[in-house]
Amino acid sequence: MLRLFLPPNLAAAAARDAIALRVEIDPAGEPPPAILPALALLQRWCATPVPPRFIQLTRQQLRELVTALAGQPAFLWVNAPTAPLPWEGTALSGVSEHLTAVAANVGASLADARAPTRGAPTPRKTKTLDLPAAPPLQVDGTEHYLALTLPSREHPTYAAALELVKGNGFILEPSNRRWWLRDRHKTLNFLAAHGDRLRGMFGADFTANFEKNTAHLRPAEIAAEIGEAGDGFAVTLGLRAGSADDTQFRAAAAGNRSYLEADGKIFLLDAARLQRLAEAQRALSGQPGAGSAARRTHRIGAARVAEAQEILEELSPGFQPPATWRARTEALRNLSALQPAPLSAAFDRQLRPYQRVGVAWLWHLWRHQLGGILADEMGLGKTLQALGLLSAVAGEGGGSREAGVESPEATTETSRTARTPALDSRLSVLDPRRASLVVCPASLLENWRREAAHFAPQLRVFVHHGENRLGSAADFTAVDLVITSYGTLTRDQELFGGVAFAAVVADEAQHIKNRRSQNAAALRALRARGRFLLTGTPVENSLDDLRSLFEFLLPGYLDRIPEGTRGDERAWFDARLRAKVAPYLLRRTKQAVAPELPPKLEQVIWCELGPAQAALYRAMQERTERELLDLEAGGAGEAKLRFAALTQLLRLRQICCDPRLLPENPNSKTQNPKFEESDSAKLEAFRELLAEIVDDGHRVLVFSQFTSLLDLLQADLDGQGLASCRLDGAMTARARQAEVDRFQSSPEIPVFLLSLKAGGTGLNLTGADTVVHFDPWWNPAAEAQATDRAHRIGQARVVTSYKLIAAGTVEEKVLALQDTKRALLQDVFEASDELSAKISLDDLRALLK
């Protein structure tokens, strides 16, 4: 049972953003699920497992509580403690109308605070405390004295009221049971320090005599004034007390006076309000040691507007910023207010609702020449959302193709065929426009190219890598999107530094978390209207990761931390960092968007073979063709040709996974010592993927048909210090079950390596919610069966399945086959079934070419 008692002067308290709330929680038994979100909010605000009996809330906080407890009989008036307030739909009668619109992340706050759903509690009797309606604390007096009459002992505020008068020098007069304070200085200091508590927490009754004699008393208000100043704003923040100036405020502070006199009035200086003002001044100045001042003007850059809005709203809720200020902040605070990005109907149809919001968020930042981190959990389509932004930017770029000139084969062919550094003559006739740039790990270049070709085929894409490179800054004007790797960007830093890009998107942002690295330096040197990062793990080791990322995103935005800063001062800078980056970091989890998602997500990750791996693959292809031609010339039968083709197909598959799997002598079982870990494009892509999986707190099943590949992966995991389980066909049934039980009962083990044949069926591995098919060469049904080890009854999370495919190889050809022909492959790759495979020899030879 949760009971929240509101003050009778709620309207006035809400206007001051100081709403006193009395909290009663029944400690017996388990709390009902309906009140868990509200309890989580109270615990978060109070930073204690059990909220205190009295707390003070802002309008926004009370609104969150009302939303969390919609329909629950939890709210009561403190002076009517037996009658819960009625609900009118989702509005709380007599309360909701006093709570103005709050920040748009209320829903997110509730989502963060919401505890896991529990089973319905069994009915139980709860002791209800019925308090008699008793008169509250009564206040009488003038500016020279105060006379307080405490409520009855049965009143819920009696103990706190007694502590208040005893702690502030009041003397009890037994004859009339009043507590007296007879001193003008003490009286005004008391009213300044506790006036809000009297009205809020205690719901005090002020006599007509007091109201008449103190009509000239006023609280010194905090006022904010905002004006445009160049490309930023000038924010003046300070106390407003008639015509009083800083000299008078300093004199009051020096004389230990919480009040000052001006214009025939007395202005009360609430110590708590002054403290909040000083903290705001320090936050706006960016210096924890900045001295407090009654009034100060701060220069606020455009990027800091959203952060400053939060600070000012807490102090001066009624301030009126200019329209340009509101345009920058409203959409960042309320994602539903974002303007949709200008996408084609075809592109828009491919987006899920949360992805449209993500693209609109990126578009809003780009339009205002800002940057941001899209930090959605893996599997939610960060690449697709970034392509939405780049498509919108290309449409905004101004340049248009000349009539009758076809777009070059940049999207599909440019990165696949060798070309001279300068683009061919067809590119030179296109209207100049600013290109955008994507920087990603080399293992993801092909994936980006294919995603762009699939989702945004209208974009003219050039993959700048290896021998296929642009020669000068002028060449960039002929394409919409350039994709390159971090290593290539570092080597061609001078070339890229001469280009002004429309937008730069850096994928897998962990590559620049070390600000001193060459990758980070090369990225920071780029010029662009908008800068964006994609990463599911914006913080891996410490908040310094974020500082490095924002040096690229918004140079100069974060406060510089002086050398040697420690302790509380370091904590202050860290707190400011969190507040400042919040508007420019968007993260959604699968759980938060699960209603929009299917129960299982599937994604292909394309891996471009490196030079050594590609050369080995081509050599094996040529050798295969020669051997088959020689066999045919020698009169070999179809069975012998099929066996030879299957054997060579096995070699090509091994090369696609890791060249080390291919023996130096094909007749030997020893792995090829000529190749290193770095020669496997898939291993590099897998490491990138695994880092995000583990950092996001997910657990993964990794399937392969090669036990020798599992050996390599296990050694790599051991080298990284990652615990793993393993299951393959050489294990006994008892050992298999022991590994399954160990994985299911050990959340600290993130990886389970399984051979597809041994682990593809009959297992329940719901401890994992991610599946990686390292070499997905089984028929679709077998692959789905393997994925369903995690995606089955008992799995409460969305399952994501990834296929690692070597681009331009036999693996890609299999995916391109029609479903009817893919079904024929179900037995092809069983070494024991090569003679009974139903696929034709012609189909096998087509795969080998």
Side-chain angles (χ1 to χ4, degrees):
M1 175 68 72
L2 173 66
R3 288 158 42 104
L4 304 172
F5 295 90
L6 297 166
N9 64 334
L10 176 65
R16 295 190 301 272
D17 239 6
I19 305 166
L21 189 74
R22 181 161 67 89
V23 181
E24 287 189 1
I25 302 175
D26 180 10
E30 184 177 341
I35 71 169
L36 291 176
L39 290 178
L41 288 171
L42 292 170
Q43 290 169 349
R44 176 156 57 85
W45 294 332
C46 302
T48 58
V50 179
R53 186 176 177 83
F54 290 96
I55 61 173
Q56 182 169 293
L57 303 181
T58 63
R59 291 193 310 279
Q60 175 174 331
Q61 290 171 330
L62 182 55
R63 184 183 175 93
E64 292 190 49
L65 272 183
V66 170
T67 302
L69 291 168
Q72 299 296 315
F75 292 95
L76 309 94
W77 296 116
V78 72
N79 54 354
T82 60
L85 299 183
W87 290 91
E88 299 174 358
T90 58
L92 186 61
S93 179
V95 176
S96 294
E97 57 264 36
H98 301 303
L99 308 178
T100 57
V102 295
N105 59 357
V106 170
S109 298
L110 288 176
D112 292 340
R114 198 177 303 280
T117 304
R118 308 186 186 185
T122 56
R124 68 177 188 274
K125 293 183 180 180
T126 302
K127 182 179 179 180
T128 302
L129 181 61
D130 294 321
L131 297 176
L137 177 71
Q138 187 180 73
V139 180
D140 193 10
T142 69
E143 67 180 86
H144 297 279
Y145 73 91
L146 287 175
L148 272 58
T149 302
L150 269 56
S152 66
R153 295 179 181 273
E154 293 79 15
H155 197 280
T157 63
Y158 173 78
L162 181 61
E163 182 180 353
L164 178 69
V165 293
K166 286 185 174 181
N168 286 276
F170 284 76
I171 298 175
L172 176 64
E173 185 173 323
S175 61
N176 55 22
R177 305 301 301 170
R178 284 188 171 188
W179 290 82
W180 293 80
L181 185 65
R182 295 183 174 89
D183 181 277
R184 182 175 186 269
H185 175 70
K186 292 181 179 180
T187 295
L188 292 175
N189 276 351
F190 177 84
L191 290 175
H194 302 289
D196 285 343
R197 288 186 70 200
L198 293 177
R199 295 177 177 85
M201 178 184 294
F202 295 100
D205 178 17
F206 295 88
T207 66
N209 178 66
F210 178 87
E211 299 286 8
K212 175 184 176 181
N213 290 321
T214 60
H216 59 297
L217 301 185
R218 297 277 192 280
E221 299 291 348
I222 296 176
E225 299 173 1
I226 301 175
E228 296 187 42
D231 59 351
F233 299 88
V235 176
T236 300
L237 181 65
L239 289 174
R240 179 178 293 164
S243 60
D245 56 21
D246 284 352
T247 302
Q248 290 172 278
F249 281 107
R250 287 195 294 269
N256 195 27
R257 288 186 287 110
S258 297
Y259 58 93
L260 58 82
E261 301 180 51
D263 306 331
K265 298 179 177 62
I266 299 176
F267 293 92
L268 304 178
L269 309 176
D270 181 1
R273 187 172 300 172
L274 293 177
Q275 178 61 30
R276 292 199 301 272
L277 173 62
E279 291 173 356
Q281 301 279 29
R282 286 194 289 270
L284 291 175
S285 70
Q287 295 298 325
S292 59
R295 186 177 179 86
R296 179 175 295 173
T297 298
H298 304 270
R299 178 71 167 79
I300 300 297
R304 292 194 63 194
V305 167
E307 173 220 3
Q309 174 87 0
E310 295 287 343
I311 296 171
L312 298 178
E313 273 196 346
E314 292 184 7
L315 290 172
S316 182
F319 82 103
Q320 295 296 322
T324 50
W325 175 289
R326 291 196 301 271
R328 287 182 173 274
T329 60
E330 183 177 356
L332 290 177
R333 291 157 48 82
N334 180 5
L335 296 182
S336 64
L338 287 166
Q339 295 182 11
L343 301 174
S344 67
F347 196 110
D348 187 71
R349 283 194 297 270
Q350 301 176 88
L351 298 175
R352 300 185 182 279
Y354 74 90
Q355 291 171 332
R356 290 191 184 94
V357 173
V359 176
W361 181 77
L362 295 170
W363 175 246
H364 173 86
L365 294 176
W366 184 83
R367 286 173 54 230
H368 289 91
Q369 300 184 45
L370 298 169
I373 303 175
L374 183 59
D376 284 348
E377 194 174 18
M378 60 181 299
L380 294 184
K382 292 189 288 292
T383 301
L384 176 57
Q385 294 173 73
L387 284 170
L389 168 69
L390 297 172
S391 297
V393 169
E396 189 82 357
S400 61
R401 298 179 177 87
E402 290 189 356
V405 179
E406 295 181 357
S407 174
E409 62 275 33
T411 298
T412 306
E413 296 296 333
T414 301
S415 64
R416 307 290 308 148
T417 61
R419 301 178 63 169
T420 58
L423 292 175
D424 59 36
S425 58
R426 283 184 298 167
L427 293 178
S428 63
V429 300
L430 301 177
D431 287 340
R433 64 195 303 169
R434 294 174 67 184
S436 292
L437 175 67
V438 166
V439 186
C440 64
S443 59
L444 298 182
L445 287 172
E446 178 65 9
N447 199 66
W448 267 97
R449 186 189 71 80
R450 289 175 179 260
E451 294 286 285
H454 178 71
F455 292 108
Q458 80 283 2
L459 291 179
R460 300 170 298 172
V461 179
F462 186 88
V463 178
H464 182 96
H465 189 65
E467 297 179 357
N468 187 44
R469 302 198 189 190
L470 298 167
S472 67
D475 290 337
F476 285 81
T477 63
V479 293
D480 299 315
L481 176 61
V482 176
I483 304 172
T484 194
S485 68
Y486 285 98
T488 304
L489 173 67
T490 301
R491 288 188 290 272
D492 292 353
Q493 187 170 348
E494 184 176 351
L495 171 65
F496 283 97
V499 180
F501 292 101
V504 173
V505 175
D507 195 6
E508 299 295 342
Q510 62 267 24
H511 287 266
I512 66 166
K513 286 180 179 176
N514 179 358
R515 63 177 304 276
R516 297 178 178 86
S517 67
Q518 291 184 333
N519 288 342
L523 209 59
R524 288 196 300 267
L526 296 173
R527 294 183 294 152
R529 169 172 174 156
R531 301 172 172 214
F532 303 91
L533 293 172
L534 308 182
T535 176
T537 54
V539 177
E540 285 185 313
N541 302 310
S542 71
L543 289 177
D544 285 336
D545 292 345
L546 275 178
R547 292 187 171 94
S548 179
L549 299 185
F550 270 82
E551 283 188 23
F552 161 68
L553 287 175
L554 297 168
Y557 173 61
L558 296 181
D559 303 317
R560 190 184 67 82
I561 303 178
E563 292 290 336
T565 301
R566 298 286 188 275
D568 291 343
E569 192 170 333
R570 177 71 185 212
W572 185 90
F573 277 105
D574 288 345
R576 295 311 316 147
L577 170 69
R578 296 186 187 95
K580 295 184 76 169
V581 305
Y584 303 107
L585 193 154
L586 179 62
R587 177 172 175 80
R588 280 82 55 89
T589 63
K590 291 176 185 175
Q591 183 178 9
V593 297
E596 307 294 341
L597 295 176
K600 181 166 59 178
L601 302 175
E602 296 182 349
Q603 182 177 340
V604 172
I605 295 180
W606 297 98
C607 306
E608 186 78 12
L609 301 185
Q613 193 174 11
L616 178 63
Y617 186 89
R618 288 193 298 268
M620 182 59 67
Q621 272 187 313
E622 295 171 359
R623 173 180 171 180
T624 297
E625 291 181 7
R626 288 196 304 269
E627 288 186 356
L628 291 178
L629 288 173
D630 291 343
L631 285 173
E632 283 183 321
E638 183 173 335
K640 189 171 185 178
L641 287 172
R642 183 191 299 274
F643 183 83
L646 287 168
T647 300
Q648 296 304 334
L649 196 56
L650 172 67
R651 303 303 182 204
L652 292 178
R653 292 169 53 214
Q654 289 175 320
I655 295 171
C656 289
C657 291
D658 194 311
R660 292 175 293 169
L661 295 181
L662 186 68
E664 186 173 11
N665 179 352
N667 296 319
S668 169
K669 294 185 179 180
T670 305
Q671 291 178 353
N672 197 330
K674 292 182 179 180
F675 295 94
E676 304 291 338
E677 294 178 358
S678 58
D679 292 319
S680 172
K682 281 197 179 184
L683 181 58
E684 185 177 352
F686 175 69
R687 286 171 173 168
E688 297 277 354
L689 182 62
L690 182 62
E692 188 170 356
I693 290 171
V694 174
D695 287 341
D696 273 352
H698 298 288
R699 305 175 71 203
V700 59
L701 309 180
V702 183
F703 287 99
S704 173
Q705 294 181 62
F706 300 110
T707 55
S708 53
L709 177 63
L710 298 183
D711 294 337
L712 296 179
L713 293 179
Q714 191 165 23
D716 192 65
L717 293 173
D718 292 342
Q720 297 181 54
L722 288 176
S724 64
C725 294
R726 174 169 171 166
L727 189 154
D728 58 49
M731 301 170 65
T732 64
R734 178 176 296 181
R736 284 164 49 98
Q737 190 58 48
E739 281 293 90
V740 170
D741 293 342
R742 186 165 75 94
F743 182 77
Q744 287 289 88
S745 61
S746 306
E748 69 278 5
I749 300 178
V751 184
F752 201 150
L753 303 173
L754 305 103
S755 68
L756 188 61
K757 184 176 180 180
T761 58
L763 299 177
N764 187 333
L765 295 170
T766 53
D769 61 358
T770 307
V771 177
V772 172
H773 292 282
F774 205 96
D775 47 300
W777 276 91
W778 212 248
N779 68 319
E783 183 181 299
Q785 280 185 331
T787 300
D788 285 346
R789 298 315 94 215
H791 185 249
R792 57 195 299 112
I793 294 174
Q795 178 59 268
R797 294 162 293 179
V798 174
V799 172
T800 304
S801 174
Y802 295 93
K803 301 178 189 177
L804 303 184
I805 300 295
T809 69
V810 62
E811 292 188 344
E812 181 176 352
K813 292 181 180 181
V814 171
L815 289 188
L817 289 174
Q818 297 294 329
D819 287 344
T820 53
K821 289 207 171 185
R822 290 182 67 197
L824 296 177
L825 294 175
Q826 59 184 353
D827 298 320
V828 171
F829 303 115
E830 287 278 5
S832 60
D833 291 341
E834 67 270 12
L835 296 179
S836 61
K838 299 176 183 178
I839 190 170
S840 70
L841 182 59
D842 288 340
D843 286 332
L844 280 174
R845 299 184 78 161
L847 289 175
L848 291 169
K849 291 182 180 179

